[in-house]
Amino acid sequence: MRGESLHYRGPAGYGYAGPGDEYWYPETQAPAGRDYWDDEDERGRPDGATGGAEGNERLTGLTGMVLLVLFAAEGFTILAVRQMLTLHFFIGMLLVGPVLLKLCSTIYRFTRYYAGDADYRLQGPPALPLRVLGPFVILTSLAVIGTGVMLALAGPGSSIWLLAHKAAFVLWFGVMTIHVLAYVWRLPRLVGSDLARRADQVLGGRAARWLLLTAALLTGLLLAVVTIHLAGPWTAVPGLGR
């Protein structure tokens, strides 16, 4: 926290670059003549242009917040899917962009951490249960989105894809409930921090993060608009559409 602790950058660089290079000192005990930077000040960060590991975490959090809203809207359409089938299709396609962005940011963090990147190693891994859950979150998310897209492309005669979509949704809902409960409490801090107005509180790479999120949403929106006509055959199915 500001004013309570400082990082030390040793001769081998930042983070865990070398033995004894990373320490935490109370401000009153900090040895003189060394290079420090405040916890919340990006000017001393090893990757100030992009925000490094914290920037990746914020991008994941921002995307997660958007997905939480979109999934809630998609869930609402399930309550009356016969009457809101077109909207269900539209939101489902819109989700493709943000889901892929979140998967990419998560896999990128995983890769950098296990490749030994000092910034990501300093941040640490998720708790073991969440690391075990992670692959299931990815696989079930891809399964729900993928089977949904296949349903749109194959049309009402594809009973196998409909069954697969329903099964994938049940599995995804169980896994995602645990995932959301574990991470949702972090979202206000991550999103709020990236909306900071003071220049000394702005983490590097903020413009890029918001640009990526906007691009993901626009990609999903374009896909939804281009494919919305595929919902037509489903709405004509007796007992399913309006």
Side-chain angles (χ1 to χ4, degrees), residues 59-218:
L59 175 61
T60 304
L62 290 169
T63 311
M65 180 69 79
V66 170
L67 285 174
L68 197 60
V69 173
L70 291 177
F71 278 132
E74 185 77 329
F76 176 76
T77 65
I78 295 176
L79 300 177
V81 70
R82 294 182 180 181
Q83 290 73 38
M84 295 188 285
L85 188 60
T86 301
L87 181 60
H88 183 79
F89 264 68
F90 185 86
I91 297 176
M93 292 297 183
L94 176 59
L95 279 162
V96 172
V99 165
L100 291 179
L101 176 60
K102 190 170 187 294
L103 291 179
C104 287
S105 67
T106 302
I107 293 172
Y108 182 79
R109 177 192 174 185
F110 174 89
T111 303
R112 294 294 296 271
Y113 177 85
Y114 285 102
D117 184 281
D119 196 23
Y120 286 80
R121 300 289 292 184
L122 179 61
Q123 190 180 51
L128 181 59
L130 297 178
R131 276 183 279 171
V132 173
L133 188 69
F136 295 99
V137 172
I138 293 175
L139 292 175
T140 56
S141 297
L142 291 175
V144 169
I145 296 296
T147 54
V149 171
M150 290 306 301
L151 272 175
L153 295 175
S158 54
S159 58
I160 184 64
W161 287 115
L162 182 58
L163 178 62
H165 187 61
K166 291 179 178 179
F169 172 78
V170 171
L171 294 174
W172 171 87
F173 185 79
V175 170
M176 189 56 64
T177 298
I178 301 173
H179 179 78
V180 169
L181 291 176
Y183 286 104
V184 69
W185 61 274
R186 302 182 186 180
L187 294 182
R189 176 184 64 83
L190 292 173
V191 175
S193 297
D194 225 46
L195 293 174
R197 294 180 178 274
R198 285 176 49 186
D200 62 344
Q201 293 179 339
V202 175
L203 182 68
R206 181 168 68 173
R209 289 190 291 277
W210 286 94
L211 182 60
L212 284 170
L213 182 58
T214 301
L217 283 169
L218 290 177

